[in-house]
Amino acid sequence: MILKVYTSLLLLFLVSSVWARSVRQVYDDLDPDHWSHYTSECPQECFCPPSFPNALYCDNKGLKEIPPIPARIWYLYLQNNQIETLSEKPFVNATHLRWINLNKNKITNSGIESGVLSKLKRLLYLFLEDNELEEVPAPLPVGLEQLRLAKNKISKIPEGVFSHLENLTMLDLHQNSLLDSALQSDTFQGLNNLMQLNIAKNSLKNMPLSIPANTLQLFLDNNSIEVIPENYFSAIPKVTFLRLNYNKLSDDGIPPNGFNVSSILDLQLSHNQLTKIPPINAHLEHLHLDHNKIKSVNGTQICPVSIALEEDYGYYGNIPRLRYLRLDGNEIQPPIPLDIMICFRLLQAVII
């Protein structure tokens, strides 16, 4: 199980290396005699590096409109401009686009021409962070692998907008204006390969409904969540990294075994209202509980296995795997209780 989790994470975090190999292949295939041709096709507002003929750099140019995109372009950089609209005209020849960065512009939903995004059939990465969007744009290219919509004003997710995005592995909606009512039971339907979902810095009071079953990383920091429903994580059995920092969780809002989940390796509950450490699973490796209201720690009580049994099994038994424990910002007085060290023999860092 753990091997499968790490394999999936490796696919998610090493995407950039895959693209790097593709870029190097482009370098190898490039005929220097064609460089002048590539330069002549380059829009005058932009930069076309001869050594990277499939990329077009139009970032930080004060652009209000997107210039015509040459047919050869795979990677399009348009961030940090004043662009307000996305129309079909600049993309007529750009049928090979894989990557578009439109972060930090002034794009609104009304400024996106109907169907312009879905016609980019080969697009894999779409960055629209820090714009003026009020809802998730639709329709979207069916082949997308990453969709980044952070730092907008999104309060609405149109019905079925994600239903055909079977290849999407990352969806970033953090720092928007999402309420619980925006996340229905079928909102994420169709995201069968999603691995990372970021809904931090919104206005949620409840845990979101129907998270895709293959999700590995779930980020819900900086909301107003008070309660974890019973058996909530049984529906997402592969979740490995869970962030719930800066919420309103109290002891009463967590079921007796709410976080006793074998798949979770990194659990972050900082800046909540907990007065005690909730039960954890022996597989957990990182636990963040700083800046709560915890007054004392009893290693025997929080140990996920019996200390007596642990001593019988020795190092090769099912001993807890906790390596990092953060408890600063509470009301706990040092020293670290001895039974903490007896239970969690693999601990490498304790902050108290």
Side-chain angles (χ1 to χ4, degrees), residues 73-76 91 94-100 120 122-123:
I73 298 303
W74 287 20
Y75 309 95
L76 178 58
F91 299 104
T95 57
H96 295 282
L97 277 174
R98 266 70 164 176
W99 173 303
I100 299 179
L120 301 173
R122 301 188 184 186
L123 195 66

Side-chain angles (χ1 to χ4, degrees), residues 191-204:
L191 298 179
N192 299 326
N193 289 296
L194 194 72
M195 289 192 281
Q196 184 185 106
L197 178 60
N198 191 341
I199 325 178
K201 294 187 178 181
N202 278 278
S203 300
L204 304 180

